[in-house]
Amino acid sequence: MSALLLPLIVALQLTSSSAFSGACVGAPGPALRGRSSLQMSMEFMTHYEEIQLDTDHAMSVFDITPQIEAIVEKSGCKEGTVTVLSKHSTLSISINEMEGRLVDDIRQYFLNLAPPNMPYLHNDLDYRVGPPDWPGGDEAWREFRRTQPVNTHSHLIAMMLGTSESVPISEGVMKKGKYQSILAIDIDGPKGRGIAVQITGGK
């Protein structure tokens, strides 16, 4: 090896070693150090509430952002996450823009993907098998299932749209985009619906 190159190689090795050590055990920069101190001083918290929503028709879209924002503020969470979960298999939770013509597009698009009048097996109510522990036995189950909607398409659309969303909270507010809203989409209304809201983080 050239005697001229040896000092340069040693210098590069020392620089690399110092940078590696600093990244692992060295003191963080001022911004990161301040953030770490903030996290250390926070008290862990969790808060749970439910939103009740009365929908008026099938494929109805509701902006529930104001309700979620109020719950976040009430919880006192400064840094954390809010999770919003539909408690129904035909009610979706999605983040998108709440704009009238887009709402019509959502309805048309998903009803074209899963048309209500297809010969779905789930819609054959007489062939549905009831739970073994149904109160009153199979006869009571048959009476109950006669009241159930023909709604396979609603289940399929809900699977595509999803039933939950999580949004980061920082400095006490949800960090979502300017045109993003938390939407509840009832594919099988009108119904009374429940939405679970869970906040975890620090205060």
Side-chain angles (χ1 to χ4, degrees), residues 141-162:
W141 166 253
R142 283 196 295 271
E143 288 298 321
F144 168 76
R145 72 189 180 200
R146 292 189 186 107
T147 68
Q148 297 305 290
V150 177
N151 66 351
T152 301
H153 71 289
S154 301
H155 290 276
L156 299 177
I157 293 173
M159 291 179 72
M160 289 186 277
L161 283 169

Side-chain angles (χ1 to χ4, degrees), residues 53-127:
L53 183 65
D54 292 322
T55 66
D56 46 14
H57 59 82
M59 292 303 295
S60 52
V61 181
F62 299 87
D63 185 353
I64 60 172
T65 309
Q67 292 98 311
I68 306 301
E69 289 174 333
I71 295 173
V72 170
E73 182 179 5
K74 176 182 175 182
S75 74
C77 180
K78 298 303 180 186
E79 305 289 332
T81 304
V82 55
T83 300
V84 184
L85 171 71
S86 162
K87 297 182 68 178
H88 307 273
S89 57
T90 56
L91 174 75
S92 287
I93 303 295
S94 185
I95 293 179
N96 217 302
E97 184 178 358
M98 183 64 175
E99 190 278 322
R101 295 176 68 82
L102 177 60
V103 168
D104 289 336
D105 289 333
I106 291 170
R107 293 190 186 104
Q108 294 178 41
Y109 179 77
F110 283 102
L111 287 174
N112 282 330
L113 285 180
N117 57 356
M118 293 287 287
Y120 301 112
L121 300 180
H122 181 69
N123 287 345
D124 292 333
L125 302 182
D126 290 338
Y127 291 96

Side-chain angles (χ1 to χ4, degrees), residues 30-46:
L32 187 58
R33 186 161 52 240
R35 188 69 163 184
S36 178
S37 299
L38 176 64
Q39 291 170 344
M40 290 290 288
S41 65
M42 280 190 171
E43 174 189 353
F44 175 78
M45 57 78 60
T46 181

